[in-house]
Amino acid sequence: MIRLIILLICSFTVVYGQQASLEGVVRDAKQQVVPGVSVRLIELKRGKPSDVDGKFNFQGLKPGMYTLQASFVGYKTLQEKVNLVADKALHLDLELVEASNDLKEIVVVGYVSQNEKPITIGKLPIKPMDLPQSVVTLDKSLLEAQQVNRMSDVLMNTNGVYIFGATGGYQEEIAARGFSMASSNTFKNGMRYANGMISELSGVEKVEILKGSAAILYGNVAAGGVLNLVTKKPKFNFGGEISLRTGSWGMYKPSVDVYGGLSKNIAVRLNASAEQANSFRVGVSSERVYVNPSILFKLGKKTELIVEGDYLADQRTPDFGAGIINYQIVDIPRERFLGVAWSNIKSSQSSITTTLTHQINENWTLKWMNGWRQNASNLFSNTRPNAGTLISANGQWIRNLQKSEVEESYGITQLDLIGSLNLAGMKHQVLVGLDSDFYNTDTYAYNQFARYDTINVYASSLKTSRSDQPTMTPFTKTMAPIRRLGVYAQDLIHINGQWKILAGLRYSYQQTLSDVYAYATGKTTSTSNFDGAFSPRLGIVYKPSLDHALFASYSNSFTLNTGVDINNQALPPSLIDQYEVGAKNELWDGLISVNLTAYRILNNNLAQNALLNATTYSYVKEMAGSVQSEGVELDVMSKPIAGFTLSGGYSFNETKYVKSNTYIEGSLLKYNPRHTANLGVQYRYQGFQLGLTAVYIGERFAGRSTRVLVANDAYRLIALPAYVQADLTAGYTFKKMSLRARVANLGDVLSYNVHDDNSVNPIAPRNYSLTLTYGW
């Protein structure tokens, strides 16, 4: 498939004569940049939105006279004639005048296509059509229409990015292109957040997903991609909304969003919500509180500072789902909860970020971001089925108890210089930056409490004579500080209107320490590891016209390894090569975006058990294994057509062991479906909205991969069948009131998210929610 796409790209050429270009910046009367302005050339019947810095750009135009139009809700439409000269770039500074000081915010839905939406996760403000990488942006209008409440709702709009596990029911584990997105790959406003607890989305305005390698920008990240949650920002006009959502199993969620200006230079915003709910799993409940305040300071015409806080507290019943007997999922009622009644996990996460942006001049901007985060969790529950005692064939299960505590603090400082210049007759968009961050993690493990009680998972009643909460003794305390430093540079070179090159390089240095204190002996065992790695990036974009872009790219990332080699030396990082080719297209005058991407990801120095000298220690390893992820992705999105908006896509991925002395060569890695697809249809007419969202998750495997070195190995994979989930949404807005309804899992399908062979969590059955909103 990849060879076919490369052949198509190589054969797709168009001949051009002399061309002109048009660029500029849109500002308001206060000389503040205005993003999202519709800038159109009337004669071409085409337009582009201004980016996050208020900039717009048209390349590859025929010389001549055009009518330029700039329009945005709340401002008077600006229209003027422009004369474009061959082989020259015309620069314009546009100023929009407010139409009325009393105009309230109006959301224009579906106007901007997927290839026109600016993203912030890429640091350098590159238009998606100029980026040699696949990008997905899910904006406010879509998130509101679909009434998303969890990350699993968001990812129904993506292919190749999916939920693969829900360990204990208190987190949503995400994967992309066959690789897990751990906390190093998930960001909120550009700063990493810990995704070990369920994300709160009530304060989120946009979700950005950058597929493939992002190592040059963020250092030690997994190969599949990164995800960024963009929260709602302060506004100077006064407004807001209050809402109440209710739903199945006693779900109750009030929320508030208020914003306004305190002066001409200071604006604030506050998002807050509280949620209480039971579950379709009898005996399982949850409570959470979320607060997201932010304040914006205009420190001058060219300088602004935004300070954002974020606090989430979550308390719920840990639920490790159905059990497994002989690597088969236990056939018990969907609602049956197998845990002890008093099980509890308390989690919290708080953070503050400051972002200072200074526009040095028209072409150069300096951004300085500082962030601090603290999170903690306290788990006390039964152990997972099969992680402690196995469930016997007749359903008998001896429940053991577990207890753990985690405290983590994280901080980062990041400085970016972003700008553009003309050099050797070519335009350069440049990013130069450095970042430094740290983790301090303290993990408290307790001695397992064995044989707490016994139940039979098939019995009609799981009650036992024991309901006390015993005292557990501490086992170890692990302190694991991590220090990281990175420097990077990247340049998007506009060779001409058709050809662009994106090149960059990052160097990352990481210090990883570990001190394990054993309470029984009073002794501390210490280890240390120091790693450094270069992460290069090279991409080429060819644009035969404004509506088509072909690209090819290479990038490199790395993952750190634990353990030692046969000489007792720390293992170096595994270096991962990524190759990507694709085409981005705006068809029928930009009415439909169609993007096609193919990729190959290779880890040719995978750490695996060392065989030299026949060592039997699992921590002694060699860099001799190989894993390959290969796939194709198709994304389609339309602008409104007679009130209808369509989005959808398909992904094929195969992630397998290419070389291994531990697992069968050619066998697939766990959790990754070969096929995923999504389809969304939205219809809007005046204040009425109706939508259908569906996702297809193909067959995948959990359990444990068979080990080739173990005779009569008991490990087995568990095949999880494919399924389709569909959600139906409807809403009506009249003046200041909105009523929205949602029916999730319309077909009441049953499937599972499985982590290894010990947390088998069924997805929720058919359920509903109803949201009433008052805005002003």
Side-chain angles (χ1 to χ4, degrees), residues 449-674:
F449 191 101
R451 307 183 73 86
Y452 173 72
D453 64 4
T454 301
I455 63 171
N456 191 297
V457 300
Y458 293 123
S460 58
S461 174
L462 301 180
K463 291 184 178 180
T464 69
S465 60
R466 189 159 190 177
S467 60
D468 61 304
Q469 190 170 335
T471 300
M472 296 181 65
T473 57
F475 177 57
T476 58
K477 177 184 178 181
T478 302
M479 295 154 283
I482 297 175
R483 302 292 183 268
R484 298 195 293 206
L485 177 67
V487 292
Y488 47 91
Q490 183 173 271
D491 186 9
L492 176 63
I493 307 170
H494 300 256
I495 298 176
N496 54 37
Q498 289 73 52
W499 291 95
K500 305 174 192 298
I501 294 178
L502 180 64
L505 181 67
R506 177 190 179 98
Y507 177 74
S508 300
Y509 175 81
Q510 180 161 321
Q511 177 188 59
T512 306
L513 306 176
S514 177
D515 293 326
V516 181
Y517 173 76
Y519 286 91
T521 63
K523 295 182 178 180
T524 299
T525 303
S526 300
T527 60
S528 61
N529 199 6
F530 303 89
D531 294 295
F534 285 97
S535 300
R537 179 184 195 180
L538 177 64
I540 300 175
V541 178
Y542 173 60
K543 299 178 69 174
S545 73
L546 292 175
D547 297 326
H548 304 279
L550 310 173
F551 69 86
S553 68
Y554 165 78
S555 57
N556 180 275
S557 59
F558 66 96
T559 58
L560 302 181
N561 293 304
T562 59
V564 296
D565 61 19
I566 60 173
N567 298 314
N568 203 37
Q569 298 297 309
L571 295 174
S574 293
L575 302 179
I576 303 172
D577 296 313
Q578 303 194 51
Y579 306 87
E580 189 167 341
V581 296
K584 301 179 182 181
N585 304 278
E586 294 287 287
L587 305 179
W588 296 296
D589 197 24
L591 191 61
I592 297 179
S593 303
V594 179
N595 299 339
L596 180 64
T597 307
Y599 60 88
R600 176 178 290 167
I601 305 172
L602 295 170
N603 181 355
N604 285 324
N605 60 345
L606 178 71
Q608 58 182 4
N609 292 342
L611 298 185
L612 192 62
N613 299 332
T615 178
T616 58
Y617 296 104
S618 61
Y619 61 84
V620 180
K621 300 178 180 179
E622 60 182 352
M623 311 289 286
S626 180
V627 166
Q628 173 182 286
S629 174
E630 197 172 43
V632 177
E633 296 167 346
L634 173 68
D635 292 284
V636 179
M637 180 181 178
S638 80
K639 293 180 180 179
I641 306 172
F644 287 92
T645 305
L646 172 70
S647 63
Y650 164 78
S651 170
F652 169 82
N653 172 266
E654 184 178 76
T655 309
K656 62 185 179 181
Y657 291 103
V658 177
K659 183 179 179 182
S660 177
N661 61 26
T662 306
Y663 303 110
I664 299 173
E665 294 184 359
S667 61
L668 302 180
L669 270 68
K670 295 180 294 184
Y671 311 130
N672 305 310
R674 278 186 169 177

